[in-house]
Amino acid sequence: MTSSPSENAFTLARPKDAPLDPPPLYAELRAEQPVTRVSLWEGRLSPWLVTRWEDARAVLGSPAFSVDFSLPGAPNFMEGAQQGPPGFFQNHDDPVHSVMRRTLTREFMVKRINALRPAIARLTDELLGSLTGREGPADFVEHFALPLPSLVICELLGVPYEDHGFFQQHSKVIVDLTATAGEVRRAQQALSAYLLELVQAKRKTPGDDVITRLAAQADEGVITDQDAADLSAFLLFAGHETTANMIALGTITLLHHPDQIPYLLGEQKQVANAVEELLRHISIVHGGMRRTAVEDVTIGGVTISAGEGVIVPIHVANRDPEFFTAPDDVDLARANARMHLAFGYGVHQCLGQPLARAELQIVLPELFRRLPRLKIAVPMEDIAFKEDTVVYGVRELPVTW
Ligand code: HEM
């Protein structure tokens, strides 16, 4: 039996023996109290938690909810969180959101991203070559899962990869749930200051890259230089932690379900479906989508009043048995895998999804083709999972091959 709504604490803790599954409390809530109040900031805020797939989609697709951090009832991770600049448009409503997002939509069109596939394949090949050139065991995160998306986003943006130590450090702080609001703001500002210099440098030495094209949009008066820098900082950060963690957790998941690997090594259609199922099953953004109602709205039969916060844990909605049959199984051939909410849903749905898909579709089959004897070098209970970050993942993953 679940506890009464007022007693439900929202917890991110997972049982040690099932690090790839959401905590069982969520399944109980989804079955018995799918729209329920939870407690945040030691009880000072009690937003709603929405756990069913259908209700989650209803919230994320509804104009009755705002993403604005600065609204009084906003269920932010930390009390006192401040709205980022317009370039960090994930937490802005229209008109700022659509103006900022529009400056980048062409960059992430499937056709343009597909043109990057040969470069992604080349980088995958080089990194696997350098990993296997080492003596095992080696850390898969440090030598493969993190550098791959980092190199790709640097190439796309036109950022020198030599500076990766600097921007990876700041990206980590932005998703760290133990960081203070001030630390997060300073990390965002450090990234933006670095990118402002780069925006200005690209005017003198243009390249075939996103930052050069954002600088041109600033010249045309569509955005300011500061917006161009903030947009680039946001992409640099968004392109890192997400795909890197998905590569690492996808690899762990596949190593735990070796019977599924032949499907992943099949034709392109299979590869694409396999990636969707891994996205669904893992749904790395475990911190939940955070929204505030701007008008009264009914979700799952419950009235949410204007001003109240809502948390949508998409990794829980993606395990809803009413929508996905045997949702805890990993079934790479699952017919409706693509209906997952791992990239969100609605106007804020992930802009980078064609890029993330291209990377995962290239990297995962190539990894298992090249390293058929790939193994995790430590017992599962010794793997350090990231329990205190918005994006779930592993800190290190020692492997042999
Ligand atoms: C597997 C990898 C990824 C996952 C699972 C993921 C997941 C998400 C999710 C769930 C959201 C929605 C947030 C919300 O509704 O509040 C989002 C938004 C976003 N993502 Fe991703 N993401 C991934 C990779 C990327 C990459 C590679 C980029 C860019 C290079 C990127 C850029 C963005 C941007 C710009 C937004 C904000 C969209 C908006 O508010 O309009 N993401 N992502």
Side-chain angles (χ1 to χ4, degrees):
M1 218 20 222
T2 48
S3 50
S4 79
S6 59
E7 290 164 5
N8 290 329
F10 175 57
T11 166
L12 293 167
R14 248 165 290 263
K16 268 272 172 217
D17 57 348
L20 294 173
D21 292 324
L25 170 68
Y26 281 123
E28 284 176 45
L29 289 175
R30 192 180 50 220
E32 295 171 28
Q33 298 167 288
V35 181
T36 187
R37 281 200 189 273
V38 288
S39 162
L40 266 194
W41 313 340
E42 292 163 354
R44 286 187 292 281
L45 198 72
S46 34
W48 297 94
L49 184 76
V50 173
T51 41
R52 292 179 59 223
W53 179 90
E54 203 183 326
D55 297 338
R57 227 162 85 118
V59 171
L60 299 178
S62 165
F65 293 95
S66 163
V67 292
D68 188 340
F69 268 12
S70 59
L71 293 176
N76 303 322
F77 293 106
M78 62 254 318
E79 209 166 353
Q82 283 181 10
Q83 189 71 318
F88 283 69
F89 56 90
Q90 190 172 350
N91 298 108
H92 286 270
D93 297 319
D94 280 349
V96 170
H97 173 258
S98 55
V99 170
M100 292 294 149
R101 186 167 167 132
R102 215 178 297 132
T103 62
L104 293 169
T105 38
R106 290 191 53 207
E107 303 292 348
F108 289 93
M109 272 160 42
V110 175
K111 213 170 138 195
R112 184 164 285 195
I113 294 300
N114 279 345
L116 274 178
R117 281 179 182 255
I120 300 172
R122 173 178 50 78
L123 292 169
T124 304
D125 181 56
E126 286 170 12
L127 284 172
L128 284 179
S130 107
L131 175 73
T132 52
R134 294 175 176 272
E135 220 164 275
D139 180 10
F140 184 74
V141 174
E142 185 189 340
H143 297 295
F144 187 73
L146 187 58
L148 191 275
S150 190
L151 282 157
V152 172
I153 194 74
C154 284
E155 188 145 325
L156 189 75
L157 290 177
V159 168
Y161 183 69
E162 304 86 84
D163 296 340
H164 68 275
F166 167 82
F167 49 71
Q168 283 171 359
Q169 181 49 35
H170 290 298
S171 298
K172 249 187 222 158
V173 175
I174 297 177
V175 292
D176 184 352
L177 290 174
T178 64
T180 63
E183 283 165 344
V184 170
R185 197 175 55 249
R186 280 192 292 281
Q188 286 175 350
Q189 285 167 348
L191 277 182
S192 295
Y194 164 79
L195 283 149
L196 186 59
E197 277 183 31
L198 212 52
V199 168
Q200 287 156 356
K202 293 278 178 191
R203 290 219 168 83
K204 289 190 200 111
T205 353
D208 179 11
D209 54 50
V210 173
I211 297 183
T212 298
R213 289 187 285 274
L214 284 172
Q217 294 196 59
D219 290 340
E220 288 160 18
V222 181
I223 47 173
T224 63
D225 271 20
Q226 188 60 51
D227 293 333
D230 293 336
L231 284 162
S232 311
F234 182 34
L235 288 181
L236 192 57
F237 142 74
H240 257 101
E241 286 285 321
T242 46
T243 317
N245 286 309
M246 202 40 227
I247 293 172
L249 292 185
T251 301
I252 297 177
T253 303
L254 289 161
L255 287 171
H256 277 84
H257 297 87
D259 57 311
Q260 297 285 310
I261 295 174
Y263 186 88
L264 174 76
L265 302 183
E267 52 166 340
Q268 181 54 29
K269 245 181 153 170
Q270 286 181 211
V271 177
N273 207 70
V275 165
E276 297 311 309
E277 172 66 351
L278 291 169
L279 284 162
R280 180 196 72 83
H281 197 263
I282 300 166
S283 295
I284 43 161
V285 187
H286 285 194
M289 308 290 101
R290 313 257 164 160
R291 301 288 192 264
T292 309
V294 288
E295 56 189 78
D296 294 357
V297 53
T298 302
I299 298 290
V302 174
T303 302
I304 295 176
S305 304
E308 289 187 319
V310 176
I311 299 172
V312 181
I314 47 178
H315 63 305
V316 180
N318 279 338
R319 300 284 189 102
D320 183 347
E322 282 192 32
F323 191 76
F324 298 106
T325 312
D328 295 331
D329 291 356
V330 175
D331 172 10
L332 298 188
R334 184 184 294 278
N336 64 350
R338 215 185 152 84
M339 298 298 286
H340 65 73
L341 304 173
F343 289 123
Y345 181 73
V347 291
H348 288 277
Q349 193 174 120
C350 181
L351 176 71
Q353 57 187 290
L355 177 61
R357 285 195 166 105
E359 292 181 54
L360 295 168
Q361 289 171 9
I362 291 167
V363 162
L364 291 173
E366 187 56 16
L367 176 65
F368 286 93
R369 214 170 278 128
R370 284 267 291 271
L371 310 182
R373 287 192 299 280
L374 184 69
K375 272 198 191 64
I376 301 173
V378 294
M380 196 66 169
E381 53 278 18
D382 290 350
I383 298 176
F385 284 88
K386 296 178 182 173
E387 294 293 351
D388 48 7
T389 59
V390 183
V391 180
Y392 195 48
V394 285
R395 292 185 202 289
E396 277 179 17
L397 185 63
V399 292
T400 55
W401 48 88

